[in-house]
Structure formats: C-alpha cells, structure tokens
Amino acid sequence: VICAGESVTIEFLDNGITTPLTFDWDNKDAVSNFEPIGNLTVNPTQTTVFTVTATSNEGCEYVSSTEVIVNDFEESLVITADPERIAVGQSTQLEVTDMIGYEYEWSQPNTLDDPTSPNPIASPIDANGTYTVTVTDDNGCTATATITLQVEEAVCDENDVWLPNMFTPNGDGSNDVFKAESNFVDDFEMIIYNRWGEAIFTSNDINNGWNGTFNGQELEPDVYGYCIRATCSNGVDYVSQGNVTIVK
C-alpha cells in the first residue's frame, strides 16, 4: 500500500537461480525510467496489478504478479457549511466526510471549537472564510479539502435587512408572505398596521412573516404600514418604517 504520489520498488526474488534471466513487465506507463530488470520502481496513480515474465536462456518462463494499492481518498473528501454566508462574529457548522479512525487537522484552529473534529463549529474573527482540512489515514497518507465561506461585515442597514414593498397572499405558494430577509439579525420585531394605525400583526421571529390576514380573515388589497426593529450580530440596531401593498 502506498499513498497517492508515492513510489514503491517491486523486487523479483529469483531464489538463487544462476541462469541469466530477462524480464518483461506490463504497465510500463506507471514505471519511472523503465529498464527490463528484476527490480522495478513504480509510481501508479491508481491501484494497479504489475505482472512480470521472467525468461531463461533456455526459454523457460515464469510469470508472477503483485498488486500495488494506491490509497488516494482526496476525491471522497467533501466539505459543507451550514450556513455558507455569515457575518463576522457569527458561527457556522463545518462538516467533512467522516472516516472512522482518520485524523483531522483544520486551518484557522483559533476560530474553531474543535480543530481536530470532522465537524467543527467555525466562528471567523475577520473576513477570512477559507478553511482547509488535512485528513490522515491509519497508513499515514494525507489528503486535503478546502471550503471558502462568504464572511461579511454586517453594517446593519437596508443591505443587511431586506424587505419587499408588495406581496400576493393568494395561496399559490409564491410571494404569499411578507417578511424580512437577513442572515445577520439576532433580535427582531415587526409590527404591521392598517391605515387607521391599528396593529394587526406582530412577530418577534424574522422567519415568521405576515400572511395578509387579521383575526383569521383575509384582508382586501390595500396599503399597510410596518415598523421593523432589529439588532444585527455586530450589536448595531436597525429601525425601518414603510409601507407594503397587498396585491391579488
């Protein structure tokens, strides 16, 4: 067994045969500086069986084979992050293919809760969101994989907290709910008002939007007011007031 990129010498043991032998090897394309001798240095890129035919001056032939196993697991390494887009100071779950008995070593260890785990939690301290993991198997072979997160500085303005100006709550599954979108909000409050200033909807969860109803009744197309209060992950507060239109 060899690691990817390594070479190994295959030796033909003649067990004391005194008659001269000539050698013919197959898979010569995986051989460094091929010469028709009994000892062969090979550097295959994948697991390969090498066969040699040894022939004496009398024409007697002996055929023998050996398999060189190339331990190349880099293609099987896949890193995921959930989420892939975060703000500086936020955390995300990294996960690489977990292979039992293998060892893991991540870059930027000071930003990880466990830099030797296949699934550490990353909390970037700046905009450098590139993480590389080096995996070592029980043969000492290594492989690497890299992921680059989208790490942003949260300003906490309309670029970080986005709101539509209209929605269509008609039950077709598209644009049925009015809600804010952001990856950088820790605390959130949204209040919806009718044209008489009456609060008809309140939410403290950015993922819980308004479906265009009040007291279980669907409201008619009209313009409604909203007030958004949010605190971003960098501690900055954001307040926005405006109007949203129900269209059917």
Side-chain angles (χ1 to χ4, degrees):
V1 178
I2 64 173
C3 304
E6 291 183 343
S7 299
V8 65
T9 298
I10 302 173
E11 183 178 3
F12 181 85
L13 301 177
D14 59 20
N15 293 323
I17 296 175
T18 57
T19 182
L21 299 174
T22 58
F23 300 92
D24 183 29
W25 292 85
D26 67 352
N27 290 319
K28 297 182 181 63
D29 56 342
V31 178
S32 300
N33 301 319
F34 174 75
E35 293 182 18
I37 57 178
N39 298 338
L40 198 66
T41 299
V42 300
N43 53 339
T45 58
Q46 59 187 2
T47 297
T48 304
V49 174
F50 292 90
T51 300
V52 62
T53 300
T55 306
S56 69
N57 288 343
E58 291 79 20
C60 297
E61 291 185 350
Y62 178 78
V63 179
S64 183
S65 297
T66 189
E67 182 179 44
V68 177
I69 299 173
V70 180
N71 194 0
D72 185 2
F73 54 92
E74 186 158 288
E75 290 186 2
S76 64
L77 294 182
V78 178
I79 303 178
T80 60
D82 185 22
E84 290 190 7
R85 181 172 179 259
I86 59 175
V88 173
Q90 285 188 318
S91 298
T92 185
Q93 178 74 64
L94 300 179
E95 188 166 358
V96 69
T97 310
D98 189 1
M99 301 178 180
I100 298 176
Y102 287 27
E103 297 180 353
Y104 298 82
E105 183 178 356
W106 292 83
S107 63
Q108 299 199 68
N110 61 319
T111 67
L112 303 172
D113 68 331
D114 185 356
T116 63
S117 166
N119 53 354
I121 295 175
S123 305
I125 57 178
D126 54 34
N128 181 9
T130 298
Y131 287 88
T132 298
V133 63
T134 300
V135 183
T136 305
D137 71 0
D138 50 8
N139 293 307
C141 299
T142 62
T144 62
T146 299
I147 190 172
T148 298
L149 308 175
Q150 187 176 349
V151 182
E152 302 176 357
E153 293 281 356
V155 179
C156 207
D157 59 15
E158 61 275 3
N159 293 316
D160 297 324
V161 184
W162 181 83
L163 288 159
N165 57 18
M166 59 173 288
F167 71 117
T168 57
N170 53 15
D172 66 354
S174 176
N175 199 29
D176 285 334
V177 178
F178 172 72
K179 65 177 184 177
E181 299 285 350
S182 178
N183 288 325
F184 308 132
V185 168
D186 290 336
D187 297 313
F188 178 82
E189 181 185 37
M190 178 173 69
I191 304 174
I192 306 295
Y193 302 91
N194 61 20
R195 62 172 58 249
W196 297 280
E198 179 184 9
I200 58 176
F201 177 80
T202 301
S203 174
N204 295 110
D205 182 353
I206 193 170
N207 296 309
N208 180 27
W210 180 44
N211 63 2
T213 65
F214 178 51
N215 289 335
Q217 300 296 316
E218 293 185 3
L219 298 180
E220 295 299 320
D222 203 345
V223 177
Y224 298 84
Y226 66 79
C227 178
I228 300 290
R229 298 184 181 91
T231 301
C232 291
S233 55
N234 57 358
V236 176
D237 293 328
Y238 173 72
V239 177
S240 176
Q241 295 178 330
N243 296 319
V244 59
T245 302
I246 290 181
V247 178
K248 293 186 178 180

